Structure formats: C-alpha cells, structure tokens
Amino acid sequence: MLRDPLVVKQSFPIQWSSRLWAWTPDGIFTVKSAFQQLRIAAPPCPFARFYWAKFVPNKLSVFFWRAINRAVPVDVRIQNCAISLASGCVCCTHMQIESFDHLFMHGGIAAPLWDYFATPFGIHRQDFSAFWDFIWAWFNVAPAGSQMGSLGILIPMVIMWETWRERNCRIHNEAPSGFRTRRYRIWKWIHDINPMIKVNKSSPACLQQVVGPTL
C-alpha cells in the first residue's frame, strides 16, 4: 500500500502551512513522479545492453526487442491470440508447425546459418534446448568491446533478421534464396556495419570463416 504522498509542512510564520509532494525533492507534484510510484516496474532485461549497443542498426535492435517480447507473429503466436490458423513452416520440406523456436533455431532457413557461423566461436546449436540460452551464449562468447565480442552480438541478430526476411519472401511466393545467398547477406551486414574489419592470410582461421571474403 502506498503511503500518503501529501505531507503537511509548517513553515514560518507558524500560521502558514503548505502541503508538499513527498516523492520529489522540492515537494512539487509531477506526473512523472506519480507514474514512477504507481507503475509495476518490469525487471531489467539482461539482453538489453547487448541489443541496444550503439553499433547495432536500429532495425536489428527493434526486431530483437520484438522477438524477446514475443511480438514476432509466427503462426503459433497468432494461434495463441485465439485466431484460427493452419500452421505450416515454409522453411522446411516437410511442413511443421511454425513456432518461434522452430523457425529461428531448428528450421531449414536458420539452422544451416547457425551451424556455419557458430562453429568458429565454439558454440554448437545442438547443445541448447532453449533458444534464448543459445543467444546468451553468443552474446557472452568473448569480452565486450573486442572484435569477436562485437561479432558475437551482431551475427545472431543478423541471422534472426535474415531468417524472418526469407520466411516472409516465401510466404508471399517469392523465389527462395539458397544458403550461399543468405550467407553472403550476413557477410555484407558485417562489412557494411564495420568496414574496418579486415582479414588476411595471417588472420585466425575462425575469423576468416566468420567475416568471409572482402566484399
């Protein structure tokens, strides 16, 4: 129960008195201070410091925010809103129910990309049963601020974006893209966001695989 926010404070001369707002330092009421007291604050998101990083493009950050808040309209999410919908994942030869985890972790669009880009980081998709545990491993694969640490944040967000993009193309009967095309798009994201990333023959093999050829 909230305590009475209005307190009586006597000032001089003694016959004067005023009521002050207890939740601001100067005693003056503000809507913001009332809102902060009344709202139910959500616990801080442990992923936020990664996906809102300055080097991450806004559309990737916003899409990731939507994903973590269950606001990406995969078939199962739509069905959970009491909407009747027959589900068939367009990323698989044998259509399965399109859940979030299936599309973004196990489906035919995302899985080959994860397996290609994760291996140099020592991350193996098969070791994780929960998608967000898998992403957490990516985000913490290397020290923040390092080249590999930045790639560990960027690559999974790009894979998620490109998976969603490819899924929507197929939903609208556009020609599907092959693995090499999708891999190239991810390499292009990396080079466009950080043109300073360069590899040569002396670079570690893992970095050469992750960053790809000079575009």
Side-chain angles (χ1 to χ4, degrees):
M1 180 178 294
L2 297 176
R3 65 187 178 87
D4 185 0
L6 295 175
V7 295
V8 177
K9 180 178 180 181
Q10 290 189 333
S11 55
F12 297 99
I14 191 115
Q15 67 269 22
W16 296 351
S17 66
S18 59
R19 295 178 69 84
L20 302 179
W21 185 249
W23 292 329
T24 55
D26 57 8
I28 299 175
F29 171 82
T30 64
V31 174
K32 180 179 179 180
S33 65
F35 173 75
Q36 292 294 339
Q37 293 298 322
L38 294 173
R39 74 187 181 103
I40 300 175
C45 174
F47 292 95
R49 64 188 177 93
F50 300 106
Y51 68 83
W52 291 121
K54 291 183 179 179
F55 69 88
V56 178
N58 287 339
K59 66 179 179 180
L60 294 184
S61 298
V62 171
F63 182 75
F64 192 91
W65 175 85
R66 289 177 59 197
I68 207 167
N69 285 283
R70 303 176 67 237
V72 175
V74 294
D75 289 351
V76 169
R77 185 72 183 103
I78 295 174
Q79 290 172 344
N80 290 341
C81 296
I83 297 174
S84 179
L85 177 69
S87 178
C89 183
V90 295
C91 66
C92 302
T93 304
H94 304 288
M95 286 193 177
Q96 302 184 41
I97 294 175
E98 188 193 70
S99 66
F100 182 90
D101 280 13
H102 173 76
L103 176 63
F104 287 101
M105 188 172 184
H106 306 294
I109 298 172
L113 294 173
W114 290 125
D115 295 344
Y116 178 86
F117 284 99
T119 302
F121 288 89
I123 302 173
H124 303 283
R125 179 176 55 90
Q126 296 81 0
D127 294 340
F128 299 88
S129 58
F131 177 76
W132 295 113
D133 290 342
F134 179 53
I135 298 299
W136 186 252
W138 269 96
F139 283 0
N140 291 277
V141 73
S146 68
Q147 191 174 72
M148 293 299 281
S150 297
L151 290 171
I153 296 171
L154 178 62
I155 289 173
M157 297 179 68
V158 173
I159 290 177
M160 291 174 66
W161 174 269
E162 288 297 332
T163 297
W164 185 245
R165 174 186 177 186
E166 179 67 19
R167 176 263 192 193
N168 290 335
C169 287
R170 296 186 186 189
I171 285 285
H172 295 287
N173 296 319
E174 296 182 22
S177 299
F179 168 74
R180 290 185 179 181
T181 301
R182 298 195 300 273
R183 181 182 63 183
Y184 175 83
R185 288 174 183 163
I186 293 169
W187 281 338
K188 191 172 187 308
W189 272 99
I190 295 171
H191 286 275
D192 288 349
I193 291 172
N194 190 352
M196 300 304 293
I197 294 180
K198 301 293 183 183
V199 296
N200 51 46
K201 293 181 179 179
S202 62
S203 300
C206 63
L207 189 60
Q208 293 184 41
Q209 178 174 336
V210 169
V211 176
T214 301
L215 302 180

